[in-house]
Amino acid sequence: MEAANEILERFEQALKLQPGFIEVRHNAPSQETGDTFSTVLAFATLDDLIGWEQSKARAELVTELSAYTEGEVVKNRIWNLETLLGNQNAGHPPKKWKTVLVLTFWVLVVGAVLGWIADLISPNYPTGYIRGVILLIFNILLNSYFFLPRSMALLHRLEDKYRCSN
């Protein structure tokens, strides 16, 4: 146990030198987990995590630790909260710029359409600030629950389709 703990200390030291490293947690065996020991790593980006997984330091430390492990070693990646809640098909998280671009498009389009519809239905009432707030609320609701989720899902399907065909 002492030798394994020394390797784990070196493991943590190597992690701290890795770009993008945020946190490490070791979960020792307990009554709830049985004989399972787990290590949870957090990195700033997927590229940082991949860099760690492909590093020589990690490979050497994992080889040393394997002398102290029994049974199957399982490696899972958790990208987002959906994975924690049961989605087993975790992929890369969307890039923020893509989400912002899609959202900006829909905010402008839906805002213009809502303004046009409001002018048709009731050109004189409500006016001013109240009208702007009402249109903004509808714009937020439509984009949050309808346009943005469907657009991002479509974008991911297209990315996966073209990524697989390359």
Side-chain angles (χ1 to χ4, degrees), residues 134-149:
I134 292 169
L135 291 177
L136 180 63
I137 289 170
F138 277 103
N139 197 336
I140 291 170
L141 290 173
L142 285 169
N143 282 309
S144 297
Y145 294 103
F146 187 77
F147 291 107
L148 183 62

Side-chain angles (χ1 to χ4, degrees), residues 12 30 38 64 71 84 87 91 95 106 126 131 135 141 144 151:
E12 288 183 25
S30 66
S38 64
E64 286 184 57
L84 291 173
N87 179 7
K95 301 283 186 194
W106 283 119
R131 178 186 174 116
L135 291 177
L141 290 173
S144 297
S151 297

Side-chain angles (χ1 to χ4, degrees), residues 1 5 8 26-39 68:
M1 192 64 171
N5 284 334
L8 284 175
H26 300 290
N27 300 317
S30 66
Q31 288 179 343
E32 296 166 357
T33 61
D35 293 335
T36 303
F37 181 88
S38 64
T39 300
Y68 300 99

Side-chain angles (χ1 to χ4, degrees), residues 36-75:
T36 303
F37 181 88
S38 64
T39 300
V40 180
L41 304 174
F43 282 88
T45 68
L46 176 61
D47 292 334
D48 294 334
L49 172 62
I50 292 170
W52 165 249
E53 288 180 343
Q54 295 174 349
S55 72
K56 183 179 177 184
R58 179 192 174 277
E60 291 170 357
L61 290 164
V62 167
T63 301
E64 286 184 57
L65 276 172
S66 66
Y68 300 99
T69 60
E70 295 176 6
E72 181 183 9
V73 175
V74 179
K75 183 168 128 182

Side-chain angles (χ1 to χ4, degrees), residues 4-20:
N5 284 334
E6 186 269 326
I7 295 170
L8 284 175
E9 285 179 32
R10 288 190 291 131
F11 189 85
E12 288 183 25
Q13 294 297 324
L15 275 169
K16 289 176 183 174
L17 298 174
Q18 187 66 28

